Amino acid sequence: MSAANTTFLIVSSVLVFFMTPGLAFFYGGLVSRKNVVNTMLSVFFICGIAVLLYVAVGYELSFNGDIGGIIGKVHHFFLSGVDLTKIVNKDLGINTGAYLIFEMMFAIITPALFVGAIVGRMRFNFLLAFIVLWSIFIYYPMVHIVWSTTGFLAKFGVLDFAGGTVVHINAGVTALVLSIFLGRRLGFGKKKPQPYNLPWVLLGTTILWIGWYGFNAGSALGMNDIAVQAFLTTTVATGASLVTWMILDMIVVGKPTLQGTCTGTLCGLVGITPACGFVTAGGAFWIGAISTVVSYWFITKIKPILKYDDPLDAFGCHGISGIVGSILTGAFASKAANSGIAHNGLFYGGGFSQLGLQIVGTLFTIVFVTVMVCVIVLILKLFVKMRVNEKEELTGLDQSEHGEFADYTVAEVSNTADISKYSGEFQGQLAHLNNPPKQ
């Protein structure tokens, strides 16, 4: 065992775990104040359920054995009898325990990403059941297909260094399908809800960016040249995407926005994820910039035409940037960055070989996830109600689902009578200020 590489992998695992509470702050800051608790809990509780699922069957289904290049086999329920000291990568000196812990963190953050599409209207018990089924029938198979040595896309030659297909397209497409099944929020399109706390959005973005180094550089599985390359390309792509979105806002909106800049930052992180260990700094710049332009165009132009309700743009950010990044990996992959790849990308003299493989892998992921999410939702809806009722939605899920509030002002005006009272008092105060009594 390599102590240095194992330490690097454990530190990377901590960073990836840190991303989930970071995402809770990012999403919690963006939603309306009556749904803050529900949104943050919907992200954070996955830290528990995903860990239990992963040690029970997830690691085995992902990496142990093979059934048709699609899924593994469960021979060690709850890791009973698994030798955690066994070396799984002789070149890097990584044992089963360290590798399992690192991959477990991906199983936590991935389902948390699609929470942004269902805020304010999905019942918590439906989300809980859905995540269990989604993990077993979609996430673990995708891990096996793309990252296991026996997975059919892996043997096919599809490149995904840290989760373009497995994580971001997967979560993004899931977000889109769930938002369509749920339907639009009450009053959709009439008035855009104000974000609860934009400083939280910046805090969450920063935590996610820091954690993403564990996500991307950590996927090298050791402190080596590829890890350094992935760290560098992640930084370059994210810087390019941040600036690109900010400039687009200045041109289209007329002023830079914090919410937009944070969204653009995530688009670059998402876009570079499948390519970070395969491209140069120059390739990373173009992937970050192009991913952001396409996501910006989709969110501002195409989404209003389609009229589906994805409040926090989980599909527009993770799905679209993930698709763009996955395909562009086939254009910018370079043996100069990673000598282990089979083909150079399109722009490095490799022709359409790798680009074609990336398109196939991307399309397979979209179709597979779409079909499986539809099947799971249609079956689950027979047993569990999916959406809260109108009264619960108007009241807010913080009160109706949890009986808690992010701040006391929501509790004070949590019913119609209180709202009317506060509205009347406000009108009286306003009249008093406009027509002060004569002295």
Side-chain angles (χ1 to χ4, degrees):
M1 186 185 75
S2 168
N5 287 342
T6 301
T7 301
F8 171 77
L9 203 56
I10 294 298
V11 172
S12 296
S13 300
V14 172
L15 289 173
V16 178
F17 178 81
F18 192 38
M19 295 171 72
T20 301
L23 186 69
F25 275 104
F26 181 81
Y27 282 166
L30 284 173
V31 298
S32 61
R33 64 173 57 221
K34 64 183 180 180
N35 292 310
V36 175
V37 172
N38 174 260
T39 299
M40 298 186 81
L41 180 58
S42 295
V43 172
F44 186 66
F45 93 96
I46 298 172
C47 293
I49 195 70
V51 166
L52 298 179
L53 275 174
Y54 199 77
V55 297
V57 298
Y59 181 75
E60 294 273 287
L61 290 175
S62 299
F63 296 106
N64 181 46
D66 177 67
I67 301 176
I70 300 291
I71 194 69
K73 301 177 182 179
V74 179
H75 292 306
H76 306 89
F77 182 69
F78 247 84
L79 304 180
S80 177
V82 172
D83 182 5
L84 297 179
T85 65
K86 181 181 177 181
I87 301 297
V88 295
N89 189 312
K90 294 181 180 179
D91 294 333
L92 297 172
I94 299 297
N95 62 23
T96 300
Y99 185 66
L100 182 151
I101 290 168
F102 181 66
E103 292 295 336
M104 182 193 296
M105 300 304 121
F106 283 73
I108 296 173
I109 185 63
T110 305
L113 298 175
F114 60 70
V115 168
I118 54 90
V119 294
R121 58 207 200 280
M122 180 179 280
R123 292 188 178 276
F124 190 82
N125 56 352
F126 185 94
L127 177 63
L128 171 59
F130 178 81
I131 286 176
V132 172
L133 296 175
W134 179 90
S135 297
I136 294 171
F137 293 104
I138 299 178
Y139 181 73
Y140 302 147
M142 280 302 306
V143 172
H144 186 84
I145 289 167
V146 178
W147 285 340
S148 171
T149 55
T150 54
F152 86 88
L153 284 184
K155 292 193 290 187
F156 199 47
V158 174
L159 298 178
D160 186 353
F161 192 80
T165 54
V166 175
V167 176
H168 296 294
I169 299 176
N170 185 357
V173 171
T174 299
L176 176 62
V177 177
L178 286 179
S179 67
I180 293 172
F181 269 106
L182 272 173
R184 303 167 192 164
R185 288 162 292 170
L186 297 176
F188 173 75
K190 293 181 179 179
K191 184 179 179 182
K192 186 178 180 181
Q194 293 299 311
Y196 174 69
N197 192 317
L198 282 178
W200 279 14
V201 177
L202 177 59
L203 173 64
T205 303
T206 305
I207 293 173
L208 286 167
W209 191 343
I210 293 170
W212 225 288
Y213 290 122
F215 204 87
N216 284 2
S219 292
L221 304 182
M223 191 59 259
N224 51 39
D225 292 342
I226 302 301
V228 175
Q229 186 74 14
F231 194 110
L232 174 63
T233 55
T234 299
T235 308
V236 172
T238 308
S241 64
L242 186 159
V243 173
T244 299
W245 193 292
M246 186 175 66
I247 292 174
L248 288 171
D249 261 352
M250 294 170 70
I251 295 171
V252 177
V253 181
K255 60 186 72 174
T257 65
L258 177 59
Q259 183 176 337
T261 302
C262 289
T263 302
T265 300
L266 291 188
C267 287
L269 289 165
V270 170
I272 195 60
T273 293
C276 60
F278 305 123
V279 300
T280 63
F285 168 82
W286 287 111
I287 290 174
I290 295 171
S291 297
T292 302
V293 169
V294 177
S295 280
Y296 191 95
W297 169 74
F298 182 89
I299 291 169
T300 59
K301 302 298 181 182
I302 303 303
K303 182 185 174 185
I305 296 174
L306 298 178
K307 296 188 183 327
Y308 71 93
D309 190 8
D310 178 0
L312 307 186
D313 289 310
F315 177 70
C317 179
H318 295 279
I320 296 298
S321 286
I323 290 169
V324 173
S326 180
I327 293 173
L328 289 182
T329 301
F332 290 101
S334 170
K335 291 185 178 181
N338 189 328
S339 59
I341 61 176
H343 310 285
N344 274 321
L346 175 65
F347 297 141
Y348 287 84
F352 288 92
S353 297
Q354 192 62 52
L355 182 62
L357 290 173
Q358 296 305 118
I359 293 173
V360 169
T362 300
L363 290 175
F364 169 83
T365 304
I366 293 171
V367 173
F368 174 75
V369 174
T370 300
V371 171
M372 291 302 297
V373 171
C374 289
V375 171
I376 291 172
V377 170
L378 290 172
I379 294 175
L380 191 57
K381 283 179 68 176
L382 299 175
F383 304 95
V384 185
K385 192 173 181 180
M386 185 177 190
R387 181 166 176 161
V388 299
N389 61 40
E390 289 189 9
K391 182 180 178 181
E392 291 168 331
E393 186 174 340
L394 289 171
T395 302
L397 271 60
D398 289 2
Q399 181 181 9
S400 64
E401 290 284 286
H402 312 291
E404 296 178 314
F405 303 94
D407 60 58
Y408 73 94
T409 58
V410 180
E412 289 177 348
V413 294
S414 60
N415 59 58
T416 305
D418 286 340
I419 292 173
S420 300
K421 180 184 72 173
Y422 274 77
S423 177
E425 289 180 0
F426 175 75
Q427 294 295 335
Q429 293 169 2
L430 186 62
H432 178 78
L433 290 173
N434 289 335
N435 300 286
K438 294 181 180 180
Q439 298 296 328

